Amino acid sequence: MRLTWRGAEFRLLLPILLLVPLGFLVTNIALTGALETGDMTLAVGFVALFVVAHVVLVASGHRGDQLILPAVGALGGIGIIMLNRLPQDLAGTSAFGLELGMAATQLLWFAVGMIVMLAIAVGLRDDGILRHYKYSWAAIGIALLAATLVLGYEVNGARLWIDLGPVSVQPGELLKIVLVVFIAGYLAETRTLLTSARMRIGFLSIPPLPYFLPMLVLFAAVMLIVVVLNDLGTALLFFGTFLTMLFVATGRRSYVLIGLILFVAGAWVAYQLFGHVQARVDVWLDPFADPLGAGFQPVRAIYALGRGGVFGEGLGQGLVTLGGSLTIPFVHTDFIFTAIAEELGLLGAFALLGFAMILVFRGLRIAALARDDFGALLAAGLTASLGLQTLIIIGGNTKLIPLTGITLPFVSYGGSSVVASFIMIGLLLAISHRSGSADEEAAG
Amino acid sequence: MIATNVRRLGVYLMLAFAVVSASAVWWQVIEAHSLSIRTDNPEVIAARRSLPRGTIFDASGQVLASSEVIDGLSRRTYTDPAFTHVLGYSSLRFGTTGIERAFEDILVGQTDPNPIRDLIGDVLDRQPQPRDLTLTIDRRLQDFAAAQLGGDAGAVVAIDPQTGAILALVSAPTFDATPISGDPNGAQEPMDALRNDPAEPLLARARQGLYVPGSIMKVFTAATALDAGAITPDTTYENQPREEREGFVVDGFAIREHDLGGIQPALWPLSPALQVSSNIFFAHVGLDIGADTFLDYARRFGFCAPMRIGPPDRGLSVAASYVTEPVDGDCGPFRDNVELASASFGQGRTAVTPVQMAMLAAAIAGDGVAPNPYVVRDVRSHSEDGSPTDQVLETFGSGGGTRVVSSATAAATRAAMVDAVNGELGRLYAGQADVTLYGIGDARSAGKTGTAELGGEQAPHSWFIGFAPAEQDATPRIAIAVLLERGGSGSAGAAPIAGRIMAEWLRLSAGS
């Protein structure tokens, strides 16, 4: 193993990491009105994490993509600055004899996630374990779902959480990854069959069903359970990721079209059948119809976006609480984008979207350069999942689509989400390393 | 192959990111300003939380509502529950209603009544200056009227027919708005109690309650028929005496008279027909008016559309009153002649607010001109010492009004209404509304009782509308509507209450 001097990564990390302590400083001045630095422990800790990650990648001679880590640093940096600015008692942990506030807890999860990411990025030299045991992965996924169904408890009407003593985890976050691994494995194997066989109904070429069946059955089962768990955001994310991977594997727009038609039909049926789906769509269409009841969150989010304007109210100067309660409930998870857009304005929102886009396009680049079909499909699937999740939650914040309770990767508060996102980055780095593309990139 | 598909996927995702970015632009740039001026914007609420709020005085300068800022929070105190359904409340938790809502920006000083000073203030980014309001209502009359209703559900609306100034606007039951407008942490419990109270104290009955009017509607029918030329004060219907006993058959449906007691039916023209409140006579009159003209005059008098007390942009809202089944917020067509005949004596599908019926009385009292009602008299600079300042910034109530019927029609209707209280037959029904019974020696009342049948076993609504002084050459100073929910007959319930309130006002206004 030889050192790789990851110069691009270093040069990009430098300004991003300097901005995080600056963000903490500005927040502290705005909140206290005193020209003092305040407690910088978390900012320093955040910087240290990324420095350590960079050093480990350099030391292990990692040749993976060099823009991924800075993009994650930027997203996570904006996130930790905002979480540090919000009231610290919104979330937190009192496990292991520690009393940690929200931002500190998030940083702790960043550390855990970073370790897992590095272990995968550096340690996963052979993806056979992923590819060959795809049905085992599927079984694990089903087991996770079953566990949620049996052991899970509800938060806000959706049963997503399992209590594991000191921490609660959302198995759905891990299921997301397992599902992508399974589908990538399955499609890599059957891709040729799927593209060569042709069945047509009118202008649509429909999938050769027999080859699809195992995957469709499994996927349908997962979707059904997720819908039963009332986790509509995750259902939408799974479905979108699935369609995207199908498109990447086959290149058939018609498959996506059929999928979308099925989705619209399914959504219509759900709207007719389930009161809570109907309620959510109605709130989406006209949140101002009940601004103090069902429409409270979306209405408050819209106002926060309006207050932010182009330049934002400034860090620490947004209207986070009103009379002792949050202006927007769940601002630290579902509505973190809104809080950022309020304080950092449209410019900050664009910066956030820009960093997410960089992450997505580097992920797609890894997929395009991958050495084999499995790696390509896995990278594309992971990237699509991260990208769609970002689009779904931000689109929900801006009322572009109905709001669903999923996290903004690396930005929202939440341990399961952070760790899962880091696992995905670890896998992307591992695939990227195997295609050995980093050196040329760094030279360019 | 896969690489190509990945590139295409990249294009689609880029488009998706562009759409999401555009949705952020929509709220943060395009809609930002219109969002910033909405009253339920938390920024506006937050500003209101800590800003001092202007005082509201009654017509005689007594404090009705005042604010003080405690621990950075503006808390509102109300002195008189009788005014709750006029002032509304200003709660940090439940928002604002009533005058507090209509005059929100003036009370907190975000808008200067003078547009030029307002613009200068905007440009200079001045701190908002709270302003005070003075009502047209004298607390003494409001309290007197509220006391007359006692603990019963009902409403009293009194208007100066010459100016449109509201003299009393009582809805009962009422509640003390201070607990829900003070400490926001303690506001939920009293609000829950109010919401769960079966007596519905949160309903502003005078403005928002819809009731079957019964016979007070005959004032409208009489004025309309006279004005449209359908009848003269001397018109009679030859079959009416017989129909009083046997019923008046309209389209196969027999309209029956109410219990006339010992009164023997006779060939009655307008005045005695109004005195005994003959349903048969007014059914004939309504049919002679015709459906189209009936609806046309209903709209002239203000029925069939929501009303406002005060200027259009700062009015207290009043629910629409209807003479037929509503269709898209307007009065729909009469289904048949039975409905038209029934509406003519205030049954059928009629549903009215006490304010609307007070306006009807005011229009007759005002020589056929419906005044423009208003309840806030003026805006003044903020007082720190509990009595109004001399600096009047804006006044309301420019007078004027809308002519709804001719002067001659108003005079003839008024004469019949004077008889309905003072006439030989009328005394038996509405005699208790006579102000001379309550210490006013030199004035007469005009009016009409109503006993609105609700069907089934329910007791009827008790109504009275009228005005005083009503003798020849006198200028009426108060027009009134009194409603007692399920209060029984108009004669026994609403009429004496109306008489006392009118007498009280004649006394108070003569003294001041």
Side-chain angles (χ1 to χ4, degrees):
Chain A
M1 191 188 291
R2 64 180 181 86
L3 286 174
T4 330
W5 194 244
R6 297 169 65 84
E9 187 173 85
F10 178 77
R11 286 192 299 275
L12 288 169
L13 274 175
L14 204 62
I16 288 166
L17 295 182
L18 282 175
L19 283 172
V20 172
L22 188 65
F24 274 64
L25 179 69
V26 170
T27 306
N28 191 62
I29 292 171
L31 288 180
T32 62
L35 206 62
E36 291 165 0
T37 56
D39 187 358
M40 283 295 193
T41 320
L42 295 179
V44 171
F46 185 87
V47 172
L49 270 184
F50 279 82
V51 169
V52 167
H54 173 69
V55 167
V56 169
L57 289 176
V58 166
S60 66
H62 204 282
R63 299 194 307 276
D65 192 284
Q66 298 193 38
L67 266 63
I68 294 267
L69 194 63
V72 170
L75 290 172
I78 295 174
I80 200 85
I81 288 170
M82 193 48 63
L83 290 176
N84 177 62
R85 176 260 175 279
L86 293 173
Q88 289 304 297
D89 56 359
L90 287 180
T93 182
S94 55
F96 316 117
L98 287 168
E99 286 289 342
L100 297 179
M102 181 167 67
T105 310
Q106 179 82 341
L107 189 63
L108 195 66
W109 285 115
F110 260 72
V112 172
M114 195 75 91
I115 291 168
V116 179
M117 176 195 85
L118 289 171
I120 294 171
V122 175
L124 193 73
R125 294 303 188 192
D126 177 13
D127 61 12
I129 189 171
L130 297 176
R131 192 188 339 201
H132 296 139
Y133 300 100
K134 58 179 176 297
Y135 284 104
S136 309
W137 290 107
I140 291 174
I142 299 282
L144 279 172
L145 260 189
T148 320
L149 204 54
V150 177
L151 305 171
Y153 62 93
E154 284 191 17
V155 175
N156 304 318
R159 195 192 299 175
L160 309 176
W161 297 80
I162 292 182
D163 193 356
L164 295 180
V167 287
S168 295
V169 296
Q170 270 184 302
E173 292 285 349
L174 287 176
L175 175 63
K176 183 168 64 186
I177 301 167
V178 168
L179 212 59
V180 170
V181 170
F182 166 75
I183 294 170
Y186 189 92
L187 286 176
E189 228 166 60
T190 53
R191 193 172 82 83
T192 345
L193 286 171
L194 294 178
T195 32
S196 59
R198 282 187 179 275
M199 289 170 73
R200 296 188 73 90
I201 296 178
F203 67 98
L204 286 177
S205 54
I206 64 154
L209 284 177
Y211 306 127
F212 266 104
L213 215 54
M215 182 172 62
L216 282 184
V217 167
L218 185 107
F219 186 73
V222 169
M223 286 296 284
L224 194 68
I225 300 173
V226 170
V227 170
V228 167
L229 293 172
N230 194 10
D231 189 3
L232 299 177
T234 305
L236 182 61
L237 176 59
F238 281 8
F239 195 72
T241 308
F242 173 70
L243 283 187
T244 311
M245 292 178 76
L246 202 57
F247 172 74
V248 171
T250 64
R252 293 277 179 82
R253 286 199 191 85
S254 57
Y255 293 0
V256 178
L257 199 62
I258 290 169
L260 288 178
I261 290 168
L262 285 176
F263 174 77
V264 170
W268 187 81
V269 169
Y271 180 82
Q272 298 298 325
L273 286 184
F274 303 116
H276 63 269
V277 177
Q278 212 164 345
R280 198 175 299 196
V281 173
D282 292 347
V283 164
W284 170 56
L285 290 175
D286 186 11
F288 287 97
D290 186 11
L292 292 177
F296 189 73
Q297 264 185 305
V299 162
R300 288 298 182 81
I302 288 166
Y303 279 134
L305 292 174
R307 284 198 300 278
V310 175
F311 299 103
E313 304 240 70
L315 276 174
Q317 296 180 61
L319 189 64
V320 165
T321 57
L322 185 59
S325 50
L326 285 177
T327 316
I328 312 170
F330 297 99
V331 67
H332 59 303
T333 54
D334 297 358
F335 285 101
I336 192 80
F337 171 79
T338 303
I340 292 163
E342 180 185 359
E343 299 209 337
L344 299 177
L346 188 66
L347 298 180
F350 275 4
L352 183 80
L353 283 161
F355 290 127
M357 277 172 85
I358 290 171
L359 190 58
V360 165
F361 288 113
R362 293 312 282 193
L364 292 182
R365 186 168 180 278
I366 291 170
L369 296 176
R371 281 204 314 204
D372 54 31
D373 285 358
F374 175 70
L377 285 167
L378 182 59
L382 295 170
T383 306
S385 176
L386 283 170
L388 288 176
Q389 191 170 340
T390 305
L391 290 168
I392 289 170
I393 188 59
I394 296 183
N397 275 209
T398 61
K399 211 175 92 69
L400 190 64
I401 56 173
L403 178 72
T404 52
I406 57 177
T407 54
L408 182 53
F410 298 111
V411 186
S412 289
Y413 174 82
S416 301
S417 164
V418 165
V419 173
S421 302
F422 270 114
I423 292 174
M424 294 163 89
I425 295 300
L427 288 169
L428 282 175
L429 285 174
I431 299 164
S432 173
H433 174 74
R434 280 156 46 76
S435 60
S437 60
D439 288 336
E440 302 93 62
E441 186 62 22
Chain B
M1 170 72 186
I2 284 189
T4 318
N5 296 340
V6 165
R7 273 183 208 108
R8 277 151 75 192
L9 173 62
V11 174
Y12 295 139
L13 283 175
M14 194 152 74
L15 286 175
F17 269 99
V19 171
V20 168
S21 305
S23 71
V25 172
W26 173 257
W27 296 117
Q28 302 200 249
V29 181
I30 298 167
E31 287 288 304
H33 177 70
S34 62
L35 285 171
S36 72
I37 54 175
R38 292 182 58 131
T39 51
D40 55 350
N41 187 331
E43 194 176 28
V44 176
I45 298 172
R48 224 188 52 206
R49 293 175 70 80
S50 51
L51 288 178
R53 195 177 176 90
T55 308
I56 303 179
F57 297 100
D58 86 330
S60 66
Q62 290 196 53
V63 174
L64 297 175
S66 60
S67 287
E68 54 179 336
V69 178
I70 302 171
D71 297 337
L73 287 184
S74 176
R75 293 186 186 179
R76 200 80 164 145
T77 305
Y78 298 94
T79 58
D80 188 349
F83 280 90
T84 299
H85 286 302
V86 184
L87 301 181
Y89 52 75
S90 168
S91 167
L92 297 178
R93 200 172 186 111
F94 301 106
T96 51
T97 60
I99 286 174
E100 297 274 25
R101 184 184 190 85
F103 286 81
E104 175 91 57
D105 50 350
I106 286 184
L107 283 166
V108 299
Q110 277 159 342
T111 305
D112 194 301
N114 179 330
I116 294 168
R117 270 206 307 262
D118 191 40
L119 186 69
I120 294 170
D122 252 11
V123 172
L124 297 181
D125 202 17
R126 282 212 186 107
Q127 271 295 96
Q129 293 293 318
R131 325 271 172 190
D132 295 351
L133 302 179
T134 309
L135 303 190
T136 57
I137 301 176
D138 188 313
R139 185 177 170 176
R140 291 171 295 178
L141 189 71
Q142 180 86 354
D143 287 347
F144 183 84
Q148 288 298 312
L149 288 181
D152 297 331
V156 175
V157 182
I159 306 175
D160 182 333
Q162 311 307 323
T163 64
I166 298 287
L167 303 175
L169 187 59
V170 177
S171 298
T174 183
F175 60 95
D176 180 4
T178 303
I180 55 175
S181 304
D183 181 0
N185 295 320
Q188 186 72 48
E189 205 177 315
M191 190 56 153
D192 287 344
L194 290 167
R195 282 177 175 158
N196 295 328
D197 190 334
E200 296 184 84
L202 288 170
L203 177 63
R205 286 167 166 75
R207 296 185 286 121
Q208 304 295 343
L210 283 175
Y211 302 92
V212 178
S215 300
I216 54 170
M217 199 66 186
K218 290 168 183 165
V219 173
F220 164 80
T221 308
T224 297
L226 290 166
D227 205 61
I231 61 165
T232 69
D234 302 320
T235 300
T236 55
Y237 296 92
E238 58 178 318
N239 293 328
Q240 170 249 323
R242 176 175 57 80
E243 288 162 349
E244 296 285 348
R245 286 182 291 268
E246 298 169 8
F248 169 29
V249 179
V250 178
D251 294 350
F253 179 87
I255 290 171
R256 303 255 168 220
E257 190 53 270
H258 64 88
D259 182 6
L260 289 175
I263 298 172
Q264 284 305 311
L267 196 61
W268 288 321
L270 178 62
S271 169
L274 194 69
Q275 291 186 51
V276 304
S277 199
S278 164
N279 287 352
I280 303 294
F281 177 86
F282 282 97
H284 278 288
V285 172
L287 294 176
D288 280 357
I289 291 170
D292 291 344
T293 309
F294 194 98
L295 284 174
D296 179 34
Y297 272 87
R299 293 193 183 97
R300 281 202 212 179
F301 273 99
F303 293 86
C304 308
M307 197 189 283
R308 286 195 167 275
I309 300 175
D313 55 333
R314 304 190 181 286
L316 270 182
S317 60
V318 180
S321 300
Y322 296 103
V323 296
T324 54
E325 193 162 10
V327 175
D328 297 330
D330 189 10
C331 293
F334 282 106
R335 287 189 196 172
D336 51 28
N337 281 333
V338 180
E339 192 189 339
L340 172 59
S342 304
S344 305
F345 51 85
Q347 296 285 153
R349 288 184 180 76
T350 50
V352 302
T353 62
V355 167
Q356 172 64 60
M357 298 322 277
M359 285 295 293
L360 171 61
I364 303 303
D367 201 32
V369 176
N372 297 325
Y374 67 106
V375 69
V376 174
R377 195 176 66 194
D378 56 47
V379 177
R380 297 174 191 235
S381 59
H382 186 48
S383 149
E384 301 287 350
D385 63 1
S387 56
T389 61
D390 296 329
Q391 250 191 303
V392 177
L393 304 171
E394 187 180 13
T395 56
F396 299 95
S398 50
T402 314
R403 176 159 292 283
V404 288
V405 292
S406 70
S407 191
T409 297
T413 310
R414 172 169 161 172
M417 288 172 76
V418 170
D419 292 347
V421 176
N422 304 286
E424 205 176 315
L425 295 169
R427 293 201 76 82
L428 303 172
Y429 289 94
Q432 295 292 307
D434 183 357
V435 289
T436 58
L437 297 177
Y438 313 105
I440 302 292
D442 56 350
R444 301 209 128 174
S445 308
K448 180 75 196 82
T449 55
T451 306
E453 302 292 345
L454 305 177
E457 295 296 301
Q458 295 187 78
H461 293 320
S462 173
W463 278 100
F464 181 88
I465 63 171
F467 50 89
E471 66 277 11
Q472 201 125 37
D473 302 330
T475 303
R477 298 213 299 272
I478 178 171
I480 196 167
V482 174
L483 160 79
L484 297 178
E485 258 182 43
R486 299 192 184 85
S489 76
S491 319
I497 290 176
R500 285 191 207 104
I501 295 169
M502 289 193 290
E504 181 71 10
W505 179 244
L506 296 183
R507 224 184 335 269
L508 288 171
S509 57
S512 65

